[in-house]
Amino acid sequence: MQWRNSSSRYGFISILLHWAVALTVYGMFALGLWMVTLGYYDDWYHQAPELHKGIGILLMMALVFRVVWRHFSPVPPPLKSYSRNTRLGAAVVHILLYLLLFSILISGYLISTADGKPINVFGLFEVPATLANAGAQADLAGTVHLWLAWGVVVISVLHGLAALKHHFIDKDATLSRMLGRSSPDSGA
């Protein structure tokens, strides 16, 4: 498999980033829902948020790399079989997913640093607090964080269902390209 994207398929780096981010986002969503149910005396009460914060920072780094990678290795053009509305819808959904993901990560950062303490990323490095002591920063950011997380889950499920529709109903190469397979139906 090639490292970079081609005109007919995604390359290894793009595929790895796509699926790693997807799995991490769902894992973080589950972890977030679970950790807010923990009581003060639960063993994971302090550990779960630290794990969530550390993974969140690594996810932010992966997303930044993913955006930069798109400039070095442009995505394959839409399939010729796509209608104008399909092309527009796909572009809007991808932009929306990126905006939601970055917004979730920023709101998570604001929750985590509201007390002025840096985020320790698994003892490897720290991310300093820049906007601390902003009143109800943690509460407002927490509410935004939760709603954005639900939004990204709903939209990503629709994204996945659309890929399955392309694969099983339209029988085109949309899903195959994200799995690293070439498609004869590629091109603008």
Side-chain angles (χ1 to χ4, degrees):
M1 177 181 288
Q2 62 199 23
W3 289 92
R4 296 179 63 156
N5 300 334
S6 71
S7 62
S8 64
R9 66 179 170 206
Y10 289 90
F12 178 75
I13 301 292
S14 293
I15 292 169
L16 178 66
L17 287 168
H18 177 270
W19 295 109
V21 166
L23 290 173
T24 303
V25 165
Y26 281 101
M28 291 286 280
F29 184 73
L31 176 60
L33 289 179
W34 173 69
M35 72 184 193
V36 298
T37 67
L38 296 173
Y40 184 78
Y41 295 105
D42 285 314
D43 291 339
W44 280 89
Y45 181 78
H46 293 289
Q47 295 170 352
E50 293 305 312
L51 180 64
H52 193 79
K53 290 186 252 185
I55 293 171
I57 295 297
L58 296 177
L59 181 58
M60 174 67 98
M61 294 167 61
L63 279 173
V64 168
F65 179 75
R66 188 172 181 187
V67 169
V68 170
W69 181 251
R70 286 178 67 107
H71 291 289
F72 288 105
S73 184
V75 299
L79 297 177
K80 293 176 184 177
S81 61
Y82 288 176
S83 69
R84 181 178 179 274
N85 287 342
T86 298
R87 291 172 194 237
L88 179 62
V92 167
V93 166
H94 281 99
I95 290 168
L96 185 58
L97 282 170
Y98 276 109
L99 288 174
L100 284 170
L101 287 169
F102 279 111
S103 298
I104 290 168
L105 292 164
I106 291 167
S107 64
Y109 169 80
L110 292 174
I111 296 165
S112 302
T113 59
D115 61 359
K117 295 178 186 167
I119 299 171
N120 184 318
V121 184
F122 305 114
L124 300 172
F125 60 93
E126 289 186 341
V127 177
T130 55
L131 299 172
N133 301 322
Q137 172 180 318
D139 291 336
L140 177 60
T143 300
V144 169
H145 192 73
L146 176 64
W147 284 104
L148 292 173
W150 275 105
V152 82
V153 165
V154 168
I155 291 170
S156 65
V157 165
L158 294 174
H159 173 70
L161 289 173
L164 292 173
K165 178 246 184 209
H166 278 282
H167 189 74
F168 292 110
I169 295 172
D170 299 342
K171 300 198 183 305
D172 67 27
T174 301
L175 183 58
S176 296
R177 294 193 318 169
M178 186 42 77
L179 296 173
R181 300 183 197 135
S182 289
S183 91
D185 185 25
S186 64

